[in-house]
Amino acid sequence: MENINIILFVCNWGPHTAFQTLQDIRADIPPEIKMVRIPCTGRISKSLLFKSFEKGADGVMLVGCKSGACRYGSGTTTAIENIRDTRELLELVGIGKERLRLATFLPDESEALLQLLTEFTNKIQELGSSTVVPSKGQAPEFISRELLAETVSLHDVFTCQDCGKCTSACPLALIGKPFSPRAVANSVIAGDISSSVKDDIWSCLTCGLCYERCPSAVNFSEFIQDIRYLLKKSELTGHETHGGFFHSLMRTMTTPELKTDRWNWLPDDVKIDKKSKTLFFGGCAPYFDTFFRKFMDVNTCNILSDSIRLLNFFDIQPALLENERCCGHDLLWSGDKENFLKLARLNAEAINNLGIEEVITACPECYRSLGHDYAKHGVDIQFNVTHLYDFLEREIGKGAVDLKKMDRNITYQDSCRLSRFENKSDLPRKLLSRLKPDGFQEMQETASAALCCGNSAWIGCDAYSKALQVKRLMQAKSTGSELLVTSCPKCQIHLKCAMEDPFRGDDLKIETMDLASIVARSIYWE
Amino acid sequence: MTETKNKETTKIDVVVTGFGGQGIVLTGRILGKAAALGDHKESTLVQSYGPESRGGACSAQVVISDNTIHYPYIKFPDILVCMSQSGYEKYIGQLKEGGELLIDQDLVRPGKEAGEIWYSIPATRMAEELGRKMMANIIMLGFFTAITKAVSLDSARNAVVGSVPKGTEEMNLKAFTKGCDYGLATLKGLEKKAAGRTGAIL
Ligand code: SF4
Ligand code: SF4
Ligand code: SF4
C-alpha cells in the first residue's frame, strides 16, 4: 500500500463531537487521516483546500454541519460552493475532483462518520498518491548588502537623478498611497530594506509607467522583479491576494508528471488540428472563470474560444498544448524565479517537441513571457510567438474581409504588457478603427500613458488598488461609452472586481468585452 | 512553380485597360514576359494609346498561348482588366461569355452588362497606402495572378523584378504580394460564401 496523506478538516461545532467519540472509543480511524479542527467549514477557502494538495495531500475531506445546523448560518452553503469550485479546479489542473469531498454530520453520527472516512481512505488508496511534487520550503536566506548592490548595478539604478518624475507619474502615488519609486530606489541603493521599504517593493504594480518617464531610463519594474526575487529568498510571504491561491496553483503546475486538463470546456464548433504547426496558447482563463464564478460574472474563456474561432475563420486550425501550464508570468513578477523557470521549461519543451513553428496567443502576459522572458532566462525556444492582434492585422490587411459596423460607443483599456512593455499600443487601435464604432473615445490617460487595472501578479491588492480601479472606471464612464474594450483577461477581472463595490451601486458598472470577442462577432468575408 | 490553369485551352487573350500614366503597358509587358520567360509559352503584346497619350485611354492586349501566335490583336478577351471607367465601357461588351472581369473598385463602377461575378480590388488606394500611387498596376498584376492563374506566381514575380526600374524591386514585390494576397483572400471569401460561412461565430 502506498503511503498516502489525507487531510480531514472537521468543524468544531457539530461533527468534531462525532470524531471525538471515535477517538474515545478507540475506533479504527484510518491512520492516513490527519485531522485539523476548524471553526467553520465556510472559512476553509478554495485557497486552503487547494494548498493542501500543493503541499502533498492525496485526499482532502471537509466535514461540517448539516446546512440548517451551521452555527454561523451560511458556513455550509459557502463550503458547498467552495468545494464545487475547487473540485472543478482540481479537475482542470489534473489532480482530479474525486480527491476532494464534502460531508456533513450531526454530533451523534460517529458511526456514519467512521464509515465515510474508511470509504474515502480506500478510494484514495485505490487512486494512489497524487502526482504533485510539493515544492520544498527553504530556509530563509539573509540578503546581504552585496546582493542588493549587485541588483542595483545590474539595472543601473545609480543613474537615478533623483528628479522624482517617476513618483509624479506613478498611479499608486497619484491615488494617494504614501509610495514613491524614487524613494524605494534610493533606499535600496543605500542598502536599506526595512519593512516599510519591503512593503513598497511588494506594492509596485510593475506597470512600467515610471520607466516611460524616467530621463535616466531606470527600468523600475524590471528592477522590482529582481529585488522581489531576493526578498522571496528571505521571507515566506509575498503579499499574495486570494490567500495565495494563484501562486499555489502555479507552483502545483511545475510538477512534470501532472497531466492537466485545461481544455475540457472547449465548445464543439471550435476546430483544432493536432498536427498543425501553429499552436494556440490559451493561458489560465479556465482557472480564472472557475475561481471567480462566485464573485462576479467573469467569462475569460470566451477570449480563448473566440480567438480560436478567428483562427478558424482564416482557415487555421491550430494545435493546442494538451498539457498546457501557466506561462509563469505571475511567478516571475512575484519573485519566484525558480518555479517560473520550471514552468517555462516544461511549456517550451512540450511546444518544441510538437515541432511547432508559430505560437499564437491572445493574452498579453503569455505573449510577453513566451516571446520575451523565456529566452531572456535562457529557455530554449524553437518557435515564433505572435500576438493574435498581429495575426489579425496581417490577415485582415490582405483584404476581402471586413468588420460589421458597431453601433456602440466604445473606449479601450490598455494592457500594460502590450502597450508599454511591448510598445504595441497602436495595434489594438488599428483593429478598433476597423470596427467603425459609433464613437471611439479614448480615456483621459491612454496608450503608453494609460492607467493600469490596479493589480499585477496577484499581489499587493489593497484599498489603493481599489481606489485606482475606481478612478479608471470613472474615466471610462466619463467618455460616455457603453462598452469598455479590454485586451487582457486580468484587466477584465480586476476592473470587474471594482465594479462590484456595493456602496457605489451601479455607478461603476460598464459592460466589458475583450477585443478578440468583439472582432470574432463582427468579422465577415466580403 | 504554381500550377497554371486552362490546360486544355491553349490560348488566353487578356486586355488590360486604363489611362495613360497608370503603367498599363508595363503591366502588359510584365505579363507577357512572365508567360514567355517564366512559363515558356508564347506571348504577344499590342499597345494602344488614345488620342492624348497622357491621361487618355490606354490599353494593352496580351495573348498567351502554348502554340505559335499568328495574330496578336484581340477582339474578344478571355480576361479583361479595367483600371478606368472609360476602358471598362469600351471593352466590356466584348468580354467573352464566361470570361473574367477584374477591376479597380474605386475607379470602375460595373453595370448590368458585367454579369454576376467580377473580381474587384482597391488597387490604387492600396498603392496610396504603400506611399506609391504608381504601383497600383503592380498590385493589380498580383491580384490578376492570384485570381486568373493565367501565369504562374513565380514567373510573375520574376518578371516584375526584371521589368521595374533598378532599386525599386523590393517595393514592387511588396506591392505585387499585396495584390496577390488580396486575390487569394478574395477567392477564399467566395469559397466561404458558397459554403454559407461568412462569419467567425457560427
Ligand atoms: S524618474 Fe528615473 S531618474 Fe527620476 S527619480 Fe525616478 S528613477 Fe530616478
Ligand atoms: S511600475 Fe508602476 S506602480 Fe511601480 S513604481 Fe512604476 S509607476 Fe509606480
Ligand atoms: S482587484 Fe479584485 S480580483 Fe483583482 S486581485 Fe484585487 S481582489 Fe483580486
Side-chain angles (χ1 to χ4, degrees), chain A residues 337-372:
Chain A
K337 221 180 260 182
E338 272 91 20
N339 283 312
F340 159 73
L341 274 172
K342 282 189 201 161
L343 288 179
R345 289 196 191 107
L346 286 167
N347 277 327
E349 200 183 282
I351 300 175
N352 290 343
N353 286 345
L354 288 177
I356 297 297
E357 287 156 12
E358 187 175 30
V359 170
I360 300 184
T361 180
C363 171
E365 296 185 336
C366 296
Y367 179 62
R368 175 71 181 178
S369 305
L370 270 74
H372 179 96

Side-chain angles (χ1 to χ4, degrees), chain A residues 241-242 292 296 453 455 458 461 465-466 469 493-494 497-498:
Chain A
T241 61
H242 301 287
F292 287 112
M296 37 185 167
C453 65
N455 189 275
W458 305 109
C461 187
S465 321
K466 277 276 129 345
Q469 289 155 352
I493 293 168
H494 300 311
C497 177

